[in-house]
Amino acid sequence: GNSVTQMEGPVTLSEEAFLTINCTYTATGYPSLFWYVQYPGEGLQLLLKATKADDKGSNKGFEATYRKETTSFHLEKGSVQVSDSAVYFCALRNQAGTALIFGKGTTLSVSS
Amino acid sequence: NAGVTQTPKFQVLKTGQSMTLQCAQDMNHEYMSWYRQDPGMGLRLIHYSVGAGITDQGEVPNGYNVSRSTTEDFPLRLLSAAPSQTSVYFCASSYLFLGGGTTGKRYNEQFFGPGTRLTVL
């Protein structure tokens, strides 16, 4: 079945540090992949997406590349800010398009 | 546009009580869904709908009912609340995914509501 595995948190970084949050998936076919972000007390917002192999999604300085050969979609940012502190979820959409399958989430805490 | 709205924001119930969580969207989205978020579990799909009059079960449907009488509204009913239903509930909506060859953000992004935090004592 479909599943998403992302690195356990929390991840604690200093401002301007490099961020990587690992995400791997198991799925039939070629699912679309997403990163969502949840700021404290809020709902989820789409951060970036990729719909086919080798696609790179990017937004707000975050990037992730759809790697079919390693079934991965790791999230990276070159220089994090305090305002990036949030919970990050990796997700895939099932082939029927009827559901998002989420990872368990990774909490990022950035200090100044 | 208000986007996806949910009411109430917080609710406390006693075991055995029933209640309805409300969800509405004003984006004319065909697809609507309910997820629950539990610590260390991510989000899990409860029920979803691909249009008015059409609903289906997700990963964790037991103890919940849904209906979709209009495009805009997708209420979630707890028939007899249990402590295991203590969670944060999110409603989401999107245009319906049309499959291969479809491009554009409108066919990919799910919009989430702000959530309802439910405690069952």
Side-chain angles (χ1 to χ4, degrees), chain A residues 76-103:
Chain A
E76 296 181 336
K77 186 175 185 182
S79 176
V80 294
Q81 305 300 311
V82 172
S83 57
D84 293 327
S85 298
V87 182
Y88 293 82
F89 292 93
C90 184
L92 65 83
R93 184 175 56 217
N94 65 355
Q95 273 205 302
T98 54
L100 287 174
I101 313 299
F102 286 90

Side-chain angles (χ1 to χ4, degrees), chain B residues 2 10 23 60 80 82:
Chain B
F10 302 94
C23 174
V60 288
S80 178

Side-chain angles (χ1 to χ4, degrees), chain B residues 47 94 110 116 120:
Chain B
H47 285 285
S94 72
Q110 283 201 30
T116 295
V120 182

Side-chain angles (χ1 to χ4, degrees), chain B residues 33-46:
Chain B
S33 58
W34 278 101
Y35 292 86
R36 58 177 289 172
Q37 182 182 23
D38 301 296
M41 299 290 291
L43 278 79
R44 293 178 291 168
L45 183 65
I46 304 171

Side-chain angles (χ1 to χ4, degrees), chain B residues 4 9 16-17 96:
Chain B
V4 180
K9 287 192 174 183
Q17 287 185 314
L96 198 61

